[in-house]
Amino acid sequence: MGRRKGVMSDQLKVELAKELGFYDVVQEEGWGGIKARDAGNMVKRAIEIAEQQLANRQNQ
C-alpha cells in the first residue's frame, strides 16, 4: 500500500505541533498518538496561515 503524501509538509506539521503545544506527544508516540482535537486544531491553524498568505499576495 503506497503512502499518500500529505498536503502539509513534515516541517509545517512540526512547527504547528510546537506552536499548539503537543509536539512532545508526537516525539513520544508519533503522529498517531495525537488527539483528534489536536489534529483538528492543526488543520485549522494551517488553513488560517494559508488564508493569510493568500490575502497578503492579493494585497501586494
Side-chain angles (χ1 to χ4, degrees), residues 9-59:
S9 70
D10 289 341
Q11 185 183 353
L12 177 59
K13 288 196 289 192
V14 166
E15 285 174 26
L16 290 171
K18 287 178 180 174
E19 181 183 327
L20 297 169
F22 57 86
Y23 187 61
D24 54 332
V25 176
V26 174
Q27 285 180 305
E28 287 175 28
E29 303 177 35
W31 290 105
I34 67 174
K35 296 187 188 89
R37 193 182 75 215
D38 289 334
N41 288 338
M42 197 168 73
V43 171
K44 265 193 288 198
R45 185 70 186 111
I47 291 169
E48 286 170 8
I49 291 169
E51 287 174 343
Q52 286 170 348
Q53 288 173 346
L54 197 62
N56 290 343
R57 277 192 215 130
Q58 289 171 344
N59 292 335

